[in-house]
């Protein structure tokens, strides 16, 4: 807030701070909500080119499958609700077309009436997110090829499922979204093919762990086609893809194609405004989420982060990080002083019954970062054998031979994988060693663990190699 | 192993190291198993005064309630199995009556035939555990008053349940065992009264958190009598207690009384041998689990530990600690070099549907240790609202006003309490601050958490008070 004072203490004019936010999903709404809490008087405006804001991107597979009760459930706030709760102006259907940093102006276009306008900001927060990478598809734009990024994408897929007689769907790309959608489609009683170019699904996982996931996918009747490249799609007269031809010669019949080969950060606006783009291709920001230009912040899937182990810039777009970064950007834009130090690339996904999680560096990444890294894989159980529903749990740890420090981990299990990955992420955050993992005083009772928790066992096993 | 060499390299006699272990439950069998792995040639003997070894003390409530499939399930190894697997001589029904450190001799009595004997050790490990504290009961020894510590105790309770027509049982003492047994008896369709002298059950918990537990107990039809002192028990002609009279004037009818007011370390043998007893009343050991006398180690519920925050000796008898300490004692006795640095007093128990967990210092303990401590309590949820079975989760954190460091925590919730307490225990182990809790890169996906995990929210809330 700029308060113009003339003489003595007589305030004759108050100009409220104006904060503009480009993008209204995870980072954007977190930024707006936090900015409002920090600065009750600021004028805060969100420009969102889509029709919805504040929805849970991570919830879309559960909306599609019906695991989530309704579409409404994945929308945390409607624009009206958000405005009411946070006194933030929400302009949906408004695409920002240009940032002019010298005049502190954003130019926008209203998609409903085509009118354009501009907004003068004191502080700007860029939360433009990321977009799916869609490989070029031969021929016309097919009506049954989708990606899943926004709630509008999900709506289209749901419409297609409700409208047509689908029996077989193909997922191109076996990453996190590919895995979640394989489960979602299977719940809808569809035959599911997953086509992955790499040798294994979830290529950030070590091969041994990925094989456990693949076994589980097959047990759940997912057709896995790993190490397969698509040569050609072929369609019918209505413009729908009906067959996918693979390099191996296989032909996959399909009624719907979901492309989930990856996403790329939406940086065009920032780039054109002269904001520094980092080596990862995403917007470069510091711990305060400040970009290279004054009074412009950025957060979420469009920015890069710092890997807490290597100190290197990395781009790992995830909802939890977006949420935190948005909060930090919002707080700082509104006059506060917050930081987001970086990430460990921690992620988890549920693949049918399995929790599949990772954190830190892979063995390969650790070696590239200069560590003398080795891996330890153990099989343990989630809790005491005499308590019902004991389940196997697999842990893979990456350790530094020189110091014994844990650098990365993967955990897979039906129950308790999320717990162990979070303990290991906390351990890695603190540069703990294999021996520390044994020393940790974790909570034990028969329904929750075993007297020596799998995390302790991983540490003991690693210590033998030091 | 002592190898007597005469000249050149001719070995003419080999004397194997002899390791004696007193007590064969958690710490004792852990010690034996680890000692065997470290030293394949040692002679290892366990003296156990009971008839069973290597059973899960923590599993006894689940054996009694039938949650565990069978009695066998809570016995990890029979003496025979243990001997076979680890080549360890197991002498059940053998009570050690004296340790003579100068001669490195233990004297024992065989309870079956009453014969006595002695055993010369090179290394001795004392794992004598703890015993229930039984307040004096007026009149003769009643037939229906029990404590629950050993599997033999559990057998007696099961026998009583199977034999008689019980309808109402009373539990004296609302600690961990009291809570677990309240659930166990309720599962057996008994009416259950819990009598606790303190104002709340689980007195190590803060009042606000204990109230959540008490509400849940009442919802599960447990009759709670807190702040109540027993004045008198009265029995029938067969010597059974049938009524409990409380100071408040209430009379509780009962068919079975379980006393769970606490346990005390079994230190008599050690004390008589001249081994140092610590300020807590348990055997004093260092990080290597060495006692004050050479070649004598101790581990498990009979020893004290170091509180990792205060550095003070504490006595917190728990299965997970016993297991680790046993392992360390076994490794060191057999010639290895391991340490157990201390504990955070982390514990968890399942009270019907609730996971109830704590770690670190309570606010009171923190103040006593010289911290300017304050508490923050938050209510959050275990996972995303649009994913089925979202449940409330309560966190209470104790922080140091000066540094922001987290010193202790309590977590209560139907799902995910075990995860959050383990993350917080790991955070406390590392002297993390409130801000660190926000910075942690924990795993997020809708079935497992919310974008800002309850642990991060606790940190954010605490930061506001700094």
């Amino acid at each position: 807030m700029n308060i113009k004072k003339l003489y003595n203490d007589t305030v004759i004019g108050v100009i409220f701070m104006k904060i503009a936010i480009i993008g209204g999903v995870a980072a954007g709404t977190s930024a707006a909500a936090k900015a409002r809490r920090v600065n009750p008087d600021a004028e805060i405006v969100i420009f969102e080119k889509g029709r919805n804001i504040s929805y849970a991107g991570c919830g879309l597979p559960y909306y599609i499958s019906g695991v989530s009760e309704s579409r409404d459930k994945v929308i945390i706030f409607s624009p009206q609700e958000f405005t009411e709760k946070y006194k933030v102006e929400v302009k949906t259907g408004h695409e920002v077309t240009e940032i002019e940093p010298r005049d502190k102006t954003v130019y926008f276009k209203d998609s409903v009436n085509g009118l354009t306008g501009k907004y003068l900001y004191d502080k700007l927060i860029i939360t433009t997110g990321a977009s799916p990478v869609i490989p070029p598809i031969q021929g016309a734009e097919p009506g049954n090829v989708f990606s899943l990024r926004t709630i509008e994408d999900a709506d289209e897929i749901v419409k297609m499922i409700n409208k047509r007689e689908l029996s077989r769907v193909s997922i191109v790309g076996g990453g996190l979204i590919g895995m979640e959608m394989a489960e979602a489609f299977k719940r809808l009683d569809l035959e599911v093919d997953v086509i992955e170019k790499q040798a294994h699904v979830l290529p950030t996982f070590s091969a041994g762990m990925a094989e456990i996931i693949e076994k589980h996918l097959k047990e759940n009747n997912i057709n896995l086609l790993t190490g397969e490249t698509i040569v050609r799609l072929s369609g019918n007269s209505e413009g729908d893809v009906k067959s996918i031809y693979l390099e191996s010669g296989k032909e996959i019949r399909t009624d719907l194609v979901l492309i989930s080969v990856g996403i790329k950060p939406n940086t065009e606006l920032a780039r054109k405004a002269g904001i520094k783009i980092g080596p990862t291709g995403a917007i470069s920001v510091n711990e305060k989420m400040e970009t290279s230009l004054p009074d412009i912040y950025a957060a979420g899937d469009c920015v890069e982060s710092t890997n807490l182990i290597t100190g290197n810039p990395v781009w790992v777009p995830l909802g939890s990080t977006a949420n935190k970064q948005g909060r930090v950007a919002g707080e700082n834009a509104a006059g506060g002083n917050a930081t987001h130090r970086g990430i460990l690339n921690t992620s988890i996904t549920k693949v049918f019954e399995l929790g599949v999680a990772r954190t830190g560096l892979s063995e390969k990444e650790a070696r590239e970062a200069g560590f003398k890294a080795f891996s330890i894989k153990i099989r343990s159980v989630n809790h005491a054998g005499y308590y019902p529903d004991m389940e196997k749990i697999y842990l893979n740890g990456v350790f530094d031979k020189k110091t014994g420090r844990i650098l990365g981990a993967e955990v897979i299990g039906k129950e308790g994988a999320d717990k162990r990955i979070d303990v290991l992420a906390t351990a890695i955050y603190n540069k703990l060693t294999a021996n520390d993992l044994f020393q940790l005083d974790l909570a034990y009772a028969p329904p929750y663990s075993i007297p020596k928790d799998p995390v302790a066992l991983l540490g003991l096993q690693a210590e033998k190699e030091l």
Side-chain angles (χ1 to χ4, degrees), chain A residues 139-352:
Chain A
E141 183 125 315
N144 66 340
V145 176
F146 298 91
S147 56
L148 178 59
R149 180 73 196 156
T150 65
I151 193 156
E152 289 85 3
D153 294 336
D155 289 338
E156 290 299 312
I157 294 170
V158 168
K159 213 183 286 171
M160 175 92 173
I161 289 166
N162 292 339
K163 196 174 65 180
R164 301 212 204 169
E165 290 289 311
L166 304 184
S167 71
R168 188 165 182 169
V169 299
S170 32
I171 296 171
V172 182
L176 291 177
I177 292 288
M179 293 295 97
E180 284 167 3
M181 284 308 296
E183 181 181 341
F185 284 135
K186 186 47 86 180
R187 278 180 180 273
L188 295 165
D189 263 336
L190 298 167
E191 190 167 350
V192 181
D193 297 284
V194 175
I195 304 161
E196 168 59 50
K197 200 167 61 176
Q198 306 287 326
H200 294 289
V201 297
L202 294 175
T204 54
F205 277 78
S206 62
M209 297 293 265
E211 280 158 14
I212 297 165
I213 305 162
E214 288 167 355
K215 184 163 167 280
H216 189 65
L217 286 165
K218 284 172 190 161
E219 283 164 2
N220 282 281
N221 301 310
I222 301 295
N223 309 317
L224 270 191
L225 298 137
T226 48
E228 289 277 14
T229 307
I230 295 175
V231 181
R232 188 166 71 82
L233 305 175
S234 115
N236 64 9
S237 55
E238 290 157 35
D240 283 345
V241 172
K242 296 310 285 180
S243 287
I244 299 178
Y245 294 92
L246 305 177
E247 207 166 47
S248 63
K250 284 187 195 123
E251 176 192 349
I252 311 294
R253 203 186 66 64
T254 189
D255 299 320
L256 183 155
V257 181
L258 179 77
I259 308 276
S260 55
V261 296
I263 58 174
K264 54 177 193 293
N266 295 331
T267 56
E268 304 77 27
L269 273 180
R271 194 187 298 267
K272 278 197 257 165
I275 291 167
K276 187 186 163 196
I277 305 298
T280 68
I283 298 170
S284 179
V285 287
N286 62 15
E287 280 193 347
K288 293 176 177 294
M289 309 313 294
E290 294 167 337
T291 66
S292 61
L293 294 186
D295 299 321
I296 303 184
Y297 300 80
D301 291 354
C302 62
V303 308
E304 50 183 40
S305 210
T306 302
N307 182 297
L308 288 170
I309 306 169
T310 63
N312 294 333
V314 282
W315 182 63
V316 185
L318 286 172
S320 45
T321 306
N323 206 291
K324 287 184 181 180
Q325 290 178 333
R327 184 189 166 95
V328 169
E331 177 159 353
N332 292 338
N337 181 20
T339 59
H340 181 252
R341 286 189 218 141
I343 60 166
L344 290 171
N345 198 353
T346 310
S347 71
I348 188 166
T349 185
K350 190 162 168 291
V351 181
F352 292 94

Side-chain angles (χ1 to χ4, degrees), chain A residues 375-446:
Chain A
S375 290
I376 290 289
K377 188 176 160 192
I378 66 162
R379 193 182 91 175
S380 184
V381 293
N382 63 325
H383 68 226
Y386 52 83
Y387 193 85
D389 302 326
M390 178 185 79
E391 297 286 355
K392 286 192 285 271
I393 190 165
Y394 299 87
L395 285 80
N396 187 61
V398 177
F399 293 87
D400 176 25
K401 183 108 185 160
K402 215 172 102 189
T403 60
R405 182 179 159 195
I406 180 160
L407 301 167
E410 299 165 343
V411 185
I412 295 178
K414 289 192 183 172
E415 226 188 77
D418 60 329
K419 169 160 81 173
R420 274 67 185 211
I421 208 68
D422 276 359
V423 169
L424 291 166
T426 307
I428 293 171
Y429 179 88
N430 284 288
K431 302 188 169 55
L432 293 200
T433 64
N435 186 261
D436 285 316
L437 298 185
F438 171 72
Q439 301 292 343
L440 289 176
D441 189 11
L442 302 176
Y444 166 64

